[in-house]
Amino acid sequence: MNSLMSKKYYAGIDAGAKGAVAVIDEAGKVIHLQDLPTTNEGWNLLLLQTMYKPDNTYVALENVHALPNQSTVAGFTFGKNVGKAELLAEALAILDDVLLVTPQKWKKHFGLSKDKKEAIQIAINAGIDMSMDPYDLNFCTLLKELVDEGKVPM
């Protein structure tokens, strides 16, 4: 039996505006990580890539919704992106239905905090060596504060 097919794989999809898709194997090794596309062509390519994936992939999709204070255009755009992410999740999920999980639930499961600064501290101390949101200058400011406070090693 092909070793690729005998392993289990887990895919997680964040459908937000700065969302991404990640696939890990049962040992926790990152197999695939990429930002979600921002164009129809990008979505088509990503969906094509799902045709060449192992059959034993479990998929979790972040269960999100538009915010009440979003404009109509922003809410509609967000809804379209969530729909595309749901299609991707269905394309990846062969073994089971897609697991919808709220941000609060998965953050609690992994011991993450609602507080951005505390979440950065936990992630960096756990070995994360990059920002998943590199354009967020607040990340850099908070990380510097954590280093200055001695809560994150240099």
Side-chain angles (χ1 to χ4, degrees):
M1 175 182 271
N2 181 339
S3 65
L4 186 66
M5 294 307 193
S6 64
K7 290 183 180 177
K8 290 181 183 161
Y9 295 86
Y10 304 89
I13 303 171
D14 175 351
K18 297 178 184 177
V21 58
V23 180
I24 61 172
D25 66 14
E26 57 194 348
K29 180 181 175 194
V30 176
I31 303 300
H32 183 84
L33 176 65
Q34 80 174 75
D35 291 337
L36 288 182
T38 56
T39 65
N40 285 338
E41 292 80 15
W43 276 102
N44 291 341
L45 179 61
L46 185 58
L47 287 168
L48 266 175
Q49 291 171 346
T50 65
M51 293 170 59
Y52 304 101
K53 55 136 185 52
D55 288 339
N56 44 352
T57 303
Y58 296 90
V59 181
L61 175 64
E62 190 172 45
N63 191 10
V64 292
H65 51 80
L67 300 174
N69 59 346
Q70 282 183 314
S71 70
T72 304
V73 171
F76 188 75
T77 300
F78 181 76
K80 284 176 31 180
N81 285 342
V82 170
K84 289 175 183 177
E86 288 174 349
L87 176 62
L88 173 63
E90 291 294 336
L92 283 169
I94 298 298
L95 283 183
D96 240 332
D97 291 333
V98 173
L99 172 66
L100 293 175
V101 61
T102 63
Q104 297 83 358
K105 187 172 184 175
W106 71 258
K107 287 179 181 182
K108 183 178 179 182
H109 174 81
F110 289 106
L112 299 177
S113 173
K114 290 181 185 179
D115 177 72
K116 180 89 169 183
K117 185 173 179 179
E118 187 179 349
I120 292 170
Q121 177 184 346
I122 292 167
I124 296 295
N125 287 332
I128 302 299
D129 60 357
M130 63 183 207
S131 169
M132 293 302 288
D133 191 2
Y135 302 109
D136 181 3
L137 297 179
N138 194 34
F139 174 87
C140 297
T141 302
L142 294 173
L143 180 56
K144 182 180 181 315
E145 287 176 14
L146 289 164
V147 169
D148 291 345
E149 294 166 5
K151 294 180 178 177
V152 169
M154 187 68 176

